[in-house]
Amino acid sequence: MLVCTAVWKIFGPAPEKAYAAIAAEAATGKLAYPDHVIAVRDVSFEVRKGETFVVMGLSGSGKSTLVRCLTRLTEPTAGEILIEGQDVRRMNDEALRNLRRHKVSMVFQNFGLLPHWRVLDNVAYGLEVCGVDKRERHARAMQMIELVGLKGWEHKYPRQLSGGMQQRVGLARALAVNPDILLFDEPFSALDPLIRREMQDELLRLQSTLHKTSVFITHDFAEALKIGDRIAIMKDGRFVQVGAPQELVLQPKDDYVRAFVKDAPRAKVLTAGAIMQRSPSGSAPNGRTVAADVHLEALLPMLAESDVPLTVVRDGAPVGIVDRACVIRALIDEQAN
Amino acid sequence: MAAPSPTLTRPIASAGLARAARWLGPIGLLAGVYIACLLFPSLTDTFPAQWNLGMREAVDDFSRWVTSNRLSHPAFAYFFDPLSAALDAFVRAVENALLGAHWAVIIGVTALAGWLLGGWRLALVGALGFFACGLMGLWPQTMQTLALMNVSVFIALLIGIPLGVVCALSNRFDRFLRPILDAMQVMPAFVYLIPVVLFFGVARAPAIVATVIYAIPPAVRLTNLGIREVQPAAVEAARAFGSTRWQILRKVQLPLALPAIMAGVNQTIMMALGIVVIAAMVGAGGLGREVYLALQRLQVGRAFEAGLAIVLIAIILDRLSEGLSRIDLTQYSIRKTQDAGRKAQNVKRNPASYVLRHSSLIGALAIILVTALCVLAFQDAFPDAWRLPLREPVDGLVRWMRDNLFFITRPLSDFITLYLLNPFRDLLRDVIPWPVVIAAVAVVAYLVSGWRLALGCALGMFMLGLLGMWPQSMDTLSQVLVTTAITVLLALPVGILASQSDGVRRALRPVLDFLQTVPTFVFLVPVVMLFNIGRVPGIIASVLYAIPVGIRLVDLGIRQVSPEAVEAATAFGSTRAQTIVKVQLPLAKPAIVLSINQMIMMVLAMVVIAGMVGGAGLGLEAVIGLTRSETGIGISAGLCIVVLAMILDRITQAWAARQS
C-alpha cells in the first residue's frame, strides 16, 4: 500500500550535495556540510492495507518531516516512496495534486482549519478543490460531520469550537474525500489529556469500521501503543526499532527504547500469548482456557479467581499455559531486575 | 596588599591592547590619508572637477531631446501622451462628479460610510470634518484634492496589491522589488517629479503619477506581509488537500490577509495625502495649491486654513480606512452567527430590542433623511454666507509673535547658525580634505559593521564628488547631522518622560498627531515668518517633522522593556531614576538607536523642503532643478540625497543591529 525505501531529507542550502557527500562516506552519519540538518536519515518502512503505522519520536526527531515527505509537502532529498505502486517522487504536479485530492488525506496538529469558513465549508474543502458541486459536497460533508459527532455545529466557525471539536472537523475533512490513506501529524498533541483520550477512542471507533490505512505521528508512547498496529521509534532522523506494541515492550532493542517502555501500561499491551509458558504437555489440568490475544488487563481478574494455571489457546488449539507467576513476572519492569 | 596575580592581569592587558588596536587601525588610516592629502594639495583641497561623471550634461541633453521630440516621437505619441490624457480625463471626471454633487450629499455619504464602518463617532467626524472645510471657504479645493486622492489611491492599489501578491508568492521577485521600494520611499518626491514632468507635462497627470509612485510602497509591502503571515497551518492544509496555487491564494491567503491589505490601503491613503502640496508644484489644484501659493506669499492664515483642511481630510480618510482594516472575516462572521442566534431566541419582540437590533439600519436611514432635507433646503454649492474665518486671527497671532518674540528667535537663530551650522559645515566642506571625510565615514561604518559597509559607504561618498556635488553634499550633511542632534536631544527626554507617565503621554498625543498629519509646508510658513529665510527655518521645520516619530519610538521602546526586569529592579529597591538609567534605557537601547535612524531619515526627507526656504546645499539644487527645469542639476542633487540617505541609513541600521 505504502512503501518507503531509504528516504532522506536534508535541510540546507545545497541538500543534494550534502546527500552525495554522505552517501560517499557510506552513511557514517557525520555531516560534512555545516549549514545542513539531516531531518530524515535513510528511513525504510512499509504500511500494509488497513494497518495503522505509528511513528513515535520526541520533538526534533524528524517524524513530522517524514510524514510531510510522503506526499511531498516537504520535498524528500533521496529515496523512493511508493503509494499503491506509484512512485510519488516521479509524479508531476498534476499527478501529485490528484494524489493529494483523492488518495491521501491529512490531519494536522494545529488543525489547519480555515478560520473564515464555517465548519460545513471546512469539511467540504477537499471536495471543493476537486470541483465537486456545492449541493453534493455539502451533502457529503454533512455525513462526515455526523460521523464525527458534530451534528448541529455545521454552521459555526472554527473559533467558536473547542480544540477537540476543531480536530473532529479536521478528521471529518480528511475523511470527506474518502481517501485510501490517512496521515495524522500529532493530531491530538494540542489537546488536553482528557479530550485527547476521548479523541483516541473516537479514532479507534472510526477505524474499527473504516479500516483506513494510516500513518500516525505522535510523541506520546502511550498513544502509540494504544493506536498503533505497528510502531516505529524514531530518533535523530532514523528508525531505532519497528515492531508491534508488545514486541517493543518485551524486547526493547536498546536503552533509548527501554526508557520509553519503562512507563508503558504493560497490562494493556501484553497478551496472554506473549507471556505464556510454552507447555509441551498441552493443556493445564483443569479445563479453563483463555485466548492468546487477550490482554493482561482482562486476564488478571480471571487468574484472581482461579488457583490453577489457565490453558492458552490459539485457533482452538492449546499452545501453552499462564499462571499467576508468569503474569507477575511480565508486569515487573525488566529494568528493575 | 598582595600584588595582583599575573594570570589575572594578562588577559585584561591583552584585552586592553586589542581594544587599542581596534582604534589604532582607524586612527592610523585617517592620519595616513591626511598626510597623503598634505602631499597632494592640488588634488585634495577641492574635489577634482575633471573626475566629474558628466551626468548633468547627459541628463540635460536627454531632456532637451525630449522637449524637442515631444510631438514627433512615437514613445510620446503612442504612450506618454495618451496615458497622460487618460489620467487627466479620469481625474477631471471624478472632480466634476464631486463638484457637481450637492455638498450635503458628499457629507451625507461620508457620514454614512463612517456610520457603517465605525459607528456614530466616525459618522460625526466625517460630517463635521467636511463641513469645516466648507466653513473655511475651501469646498471646491477640498473636492479637487479629494478627487486627486481617490484617483491616485485607486491606481496605486490597482498596481500595488497585485505586486504585493507576486512578492508574497515569489521570494526572488520580493528580493528584486525590495531595494526598488526602499529607494522609492527614501527618494525625495521632488527628484522624481522632475522626470515625471518631463514625460507627462504639467497639471493633473504628473501629479497623479508622482502621487502613485510615492504611495505604492506601503500597498505592496503590507499585502506581501499580510499574505506571508497567514497561518502556515491553514496554507499547508490547503496544500495537503491538493489545492492549486491559485486556489490557495483565492480561498485561503487573500481572505485571511484582508486586514493587513486594508491596513496597506490606509497607509497608501496617508502617503498620498502627504504629497498633495508637492503635487501642487507641478500644477495640481486644490488644497495643495492653496498652501503652496500662501507659502510663496507668506500668508500664514491662508496656509493655515488650507493646511487644516488637509489635516481634516487626512483624519477622515485615516479613520474610515482604519474602519476598513477592522473587517476581519473570521471575526465578522462570528458576530453574524451570534446575531442570528440571538434573533432566534428573541421570539417575543419588544420595541426596544427591535430598535437595538436594527440600529444600524435606522441610523443609516436617519443620515439619508437629513441629507435629503439639506438637499431640498439649500443650493448645490456650499453656502458662502456660512463662514468661519480662521485666517485673520492666525495672521494676527503670527504678526504679534514676530513683533514681540524676536528677542528669543533672533538669538536662537544666530546661535544655531554661528555656533553650530557654520563651523560644522566649514569643517566638513573646507577645512578637512575630502579624502579624509570619506575615510572618516568609512571608519565609522567599519566600526559599527565591518569592511563591507565601510567600502560601500566610501564608494557612496566618492560618488557625491563624482556627481559634482561635493560642497553642496557637505553643506547638507552638516545640516542633517545638526538637525538630527537637536531632534534627538529634544526627543529623548520627552520620550522618556512620556514612557514614565500616562498623563504626559495622553497630553502629547494630540500634539504629535497634529504634527504628523499636517503637511510639512504648513509649518514652514510661520517658521519662516519668525526666523526669516535661511537655513534655520528649514532646520526648525525638520525638527518639527521628525520629532513626533522620535518621541513615539523612544516611548514605545522603553515601554516594551520587559516588565519582569523593571519589576525586579523595583523589588530590589531601585529609585525611579535608577530603574530608568540602569534597566530601562540600557534594555531599550536597540529601540532608541532605531528611533535615531528613523529621525535621520525623516530629516533627510525634509532636505528639499528646507531648500525652498533658503536651506542651501543639495535641497536648493533640487529646487532649482525643478523650478527652472534644470533637469541635470535636479537629478544629480536628488541622487546625492539618495546616496547620503542610504549611507546614513545603513550605518545607523548596523549600529542598531549591534545593540541587540
Side-chain angles (χ1 to χ4, degrees), chain A residues 156 160, chain B residues 331-350 353-354 356-359:
Chain A
K156 301 284 184 189
Q160 297 169 283
Chain B
Q331 293 289 358
Y332 174 72
S333 11
I334 286 177
R335 211 172 53 209
K336 218 167 58 182
T337 52
Q338 280 169 350
D339 282 353
R342 223 173 292 136
K343 234 177 255 173
Q345 288 167 2
N346 251 344
V347 186
K348 241 190 216 166
R349 300 191 172 182
N350 63 44
S353 80
Y354 186 82
L356 268 180
R357 245 182 299 118
H358 296 279
S359 59

Side-chain angles (χ1 to χ4, degrees), chain B residues 129-188:
Chain B
F130 275 128
F131 199 69
C133 292
L135 284 183
M136 289 188 292
L138 291 170
W139 188 263
Q141 287 90 336
T142 305
M143 289 305 110
Q144 280 182 323
T145 295
L146 202 59
L148 190 73
M149 278 303 93
N150 285 342
V151 173
S152 319
V153 169
F154 176 73
I155 297 175
L157 296 178
L158 208 63
I159 302 171
I161 291 178
L163 277 183
V165 171
V166 179
C167 277
L169 298 184
S170 154
N171 284 328
R172 189 179 297 178
F173 190 72
D174 188 30
R175 272 198 302 277
F176 161 74
L177 205 61
R178 197 169 285 253
I180 298 177
L181 294 180
D182 283 344
M184 277 164 84
Q185 280 190 313
V186 177
M187 182 140 40

Side-chain angles (χ1 to χ4, degrees), chain B residues 104-117 119-124 127 359-375:
Chain B
V105 173
I106 305 282
I107 291 180
V109 169
T110 314
L112 199 61
W115 170 249
L116 294 177
L117 288 171
W120 65 270
R121 268 170 214 265
L122 194 49
L124 209 62
S359 59
S360 67
L361 188 66
I362 292 171
L365 283 176
I367 291 172
I368 292 171
L369 191 70
V370 173
T371 308
L373 285 177
C374 286
V375 171

Side-chain angles (χ1 to χ4, degrees), chain A residues 68 73 97 100-101 104-106 108 110 112-117 125-126 128-129 155 157 159-160 173-174, chain B residues 231 233-234 236-244 247-248 251-252 255-256 328-331 333-334 336-338:
Chain A
R68 279 169 175 70
L73 285 175
R97 230 175 5 248
R100 292 175 184 169
R101 282 180 180 181
V104 187
S105 272
M106 192 156 169
F108 296 87
N110 299 314
L113 302 178
L114 305 182
H116 58 299
W117 281 5
Y125 184 83
E128 181 173 343
V129 291
H155 292 297
Y157 285 82
R159 266 186 213 186
Q160 297 169 283
R173 176 176 65 177
Chain B
Q231 309 96 297
E236 191 182 37
R239 223 151 69 81
F241 281 93
S243 313
T244 60
Q247 283 172 327
I248 296 177
K251 291 177 198 283
V252 182
L256 290 177
D328 178 348
L329 288 176
T330 65
Q331 293 289 358
S333 11
I334 286 177
K336 218 167 58 182
T337 52
Q338 280 169 350

Side-chain angles (χ1 to χ4, degrees), chain B residues 225-400:
Chain B
L225 195 72
I227 291 179
R228 281 176 187 267
E229 288 192 342
V230 165
Q231 309 96 297
V235 176
E236 191 182 37
R239 223 151 69 81
F241 281 93
S243 313
T244 60
R245 227 173 174 189
W246 170 241
Q247 283 172 327
I248 296 177
L249 185 66
R250 195 165 52 89
K251 291 177 198 283
V252 182
Q253 290 175 309
L254 280 181
L256 290 177
L258 201 62
I261 294 175
M262 286 304 165
V265 172
N266 173 277
Q267 288 291 305
T268 302
I269 293 175
M270 297 320 281
M271 295 287 282
L273 266 169
I275 198 183
V276 279
V277 181
I278 295 173
M281 295 179 70
V282 294
L287 296 170
R289 191 175 152 78
E290 281 289 308
V291 174
Y292 183 55
L293 291 179
L295 180 66
Q296 286 183 326
R297 298 173 197 166
L298 289 182
Q299 297 166 318
V300 183
R302 188 176 172 195
F304 178 80
E305 281 189 344
L308 188 63
I310 295 177
V311 173
L312 287 173
I313 296 190
I315 291 174
I316 294 169
L317 293 183
D318 178 42
R319 300 293 137 85
L320 283 180
S321 52
E322 206 183 65
L324 275 181
S325 67
R326 270 198 303 268
I327 300 180
D328 178 348
L329 288 176
T330 65
Q331 293 289 358
Y332 174 72
S333 11
I334 286 177
R335 211 172 53 209
K336 218 167 58 182
T337 52
Q338 280 169 350
D339 282 353
R342 223 173 292 136
K343 234 177 255 173
Q345 288 167 2
N346 251 344
V347 186
K348 241 190 216 166
R349 300 191 172 182
N350 63 44
S353 80
Y354 186 82
V355 171
L356 268 180
R357 245 182 299 118
H358 296 279
S359 59
S360 67
L361 188 66
I362 292 171
L365 283 176
I367 291 172
I368 292 171
L369 191 70
V370 173
T371 308
L373 285 177
C374 286
V375 171
L376 291 176
F378 303 106
Q379 80 236 33
D380 274 12
F382 197 87
D384 286 332
W386 299 350
R387 192 80 176 83
L388 180 76
L390 285 177
R391 57 179 67 173
E392 287 79 12
V394 170
D395 278 336
L397 181 70
V398 173
R399 219 173 296 123
W400 179 86

Side-chain angles (χ1 to χ4, degrees), chain B residues 488-505 508 547 550-559 576-577 579-582 584-586 588-589 592 595 599:
Chain B
V488 171
L489 283 180
L490 292 173
L492 260 184
V494 179
I496 292 173
L497 211 59
S499 72
Q500 301 301 316
S501 147
D502 285 331
V504 172
R505 195 188 209 196
L508 276 174
I547 209 167
I551 293 176
R552 290 211 151 126
L553 287 176
V554 170
D555 173 23
L556 200 70
I558 295 178
R559 276 173 191 263
R576 191 112 188 220
T579 311
I580 296 174
V581 174
K582 290 183 196 292
Q584 291 181 303
L585 284 184
K589 206 172 162 201
I592 291 175
S595 79
M599 285 186 253

